[in-house]
Every structure is written in structure tokens, then in C-alpha cells.
Amino acid sequence: MQRSVPQRGDHVMKVYETYADTLFRIAMVHLGRREDAEEATQDTFIKLMEKAPTFNDAEHQKAWLIRVITNHCKSLLGRGWRKREVKLEGEDPLTTDAPEDQALIELVLSLPVKYRSVVHLYYYEDYPIREIGEILQISESAVKMRLKRGRQLLKLELEGEEPQ
């Protein structure tokens, strides 16, 4: 009888199955396009395989992955090719069954990146303010301020859409 020896690839596959959806959603919030988000997610797992860091626990690992994908998205957004890119009409970045949820997702995606990322991590991924600050490498007060301003922008947009 042969025993199965755990392989490094098996570990990465388990991590992928656990966190791929979360990382993809974070990338979608930053990048706004499914193809770019898929690429960023893939690059994050490649970096996990290349670096092979050791983690204290699952939360440490998740925070590391989120930090990596966030930084990768920021670097993609800063590249010149992205600024010259022409958007195709009819492109649907994220969809949901409920139309009111879809409208809210579109509003969140329309926020500037610095507000969009904290709003997403706080409301969609249920991270506390302290952990968002650690992940994004900003102070807790900066997280609170970005949440406040993001909420204000969303409120202005939502109030502007209501029939009077």
C-alpha cells in the first residue's frame, strides 16, 4: 500500500479553492474588468507559489493574499497602457440576480479606487477597520475617513437617482 505524500501543489490548490472567489471580487472592485481580475487573481497565486511564505494561521495567509492582489491591482492601474485603453460597450463586469443589488454594485464600482477598496473590504468581505488598515497599509483613521467619504459619495448618487 502506497501512502500519498502531500505535494506543494496540493496546498496551493486548497488555498485557491478557499480564497479565489474573494480575491477575484477584490480585483474586480479595483480593475472593473473580468479579464483583468482573472489575470490579477492568477498572478497572485503564482506569487504565492514563487515566494512560498510561511504563515502563522489562515487569517495571516488571507491577509497576505489580499495585500498582494491589492498591490498588484494598483500597479496595473498605474501602467500607461491602461490609460490608453478603449472600453468595449456592453461589457458586464459583475452581475447579480437582484436589480437593486446590481445598481449598488455598479455604484460601488464607480467610486474612486481608494474609496472602492475600503467599502468592498468592509461591507462585502466583512473585515474590521483595523485589518483593512493593515491590508492596505494605511492608518485606521484613513480607513474610517475613506469609508465615510465613500458612503457620502454613494448617498449622493443614490439620492440623485430617486424620483422626486
Side-chain angles (χ1 to χ4, degrees):
M1 208 178 215
Q2 269 187 328
R3 286 192 311 164
S4 171
V5 178
Q7 299 291 320
R8 190 166 129 195
D10 293 340
H11 171 70
V12 173
M13 284 306 298
K14 286 179 186 175
V15 173
Y16 180 85
E17 290 168 1
T18 305
Y19 300 116
D21 290 339
T22 299
L23 297 175
F24 175 78
R25 286 192 308 269
I26 290 169
M28 279 297 294
V29 166
H30 282 282
L31 303 172
R33 287 190 0 172
R34 182 171 302 281
E35 296 82 10
D36 293 341
E38 288 171 351
E39 181 181 342
T41 304
Q42 180 181 12
D43 290 345
T44 300
F45 284 102
I46 289 171
K47 189 166 282 190
L48 174 66
M49 288 186 292
E50 289 174 349
K51 302 285 183 188
T54 55
F55 301 105
N56 299 335
D57 56 20
E59 281 302 311
H60 181 222
Q61 182 177 43
K62 184 177 181 182
W64 185 88
L65 290 166
I66 291 173
R67 188 175 310 117
V68 168
I69 201 162
T70 302
N71 289 339
H72 185 67
C73 290
K74 286 179 184 178
S75 69
L76 286 176
L77 288 170
R79 292 184 182 161
W81 67 268
R82 185 137 172 110
K83 295 174 184 166
R84 294 186 302 271
E85 172 179 75
V86 176
K87 300 273 184 189
L88 297 175
E89 290 187 28
E91 192 175 335
D92 193 16
L94 286 176
T95 58
T96 182
D97 294 334
E100 58 276 355
D101 290 343
Q102 183 63 37
L104 187 57
I105 288 171
E106 289 174 10
L107 281 175
V108 170
L109 289 174
S110 70
L111 289 173
V113 174
K114 69 181 188 177
Y115 304 131
R116 186 182 339 159
S117 59
V118 295
V119 167
H120 176 79
L121 288 172
Y122 187 78
Y123 289 106
Y124 292 97
E125 301 298 333
D126 296 323
Y127 272 96
I129 289 172
R130 182 186 54 76
E131 287 185 39
I132 294 171
E134 291 172 6
I135 290 168
L136 298 177
Q137 299 173 337
I138 58 177
S139 68
E140 287 183 38
S141 61
V143 172
K144 290 175 186 176
M145 186 55 72
R146 290 179 186 188
L147 274 172
K148 179 182 175 185
R149 290 181 180 157
R151 286 185 203 118
Q152 288 172 340
L153 290 171
L154 288 172
K155 183 179 177 183
L156 288 174
E157 288 297 319
L158 288 170
E159 288 175 348
E161 291 181 3
E162 291 179 7
Q164 296 179 0

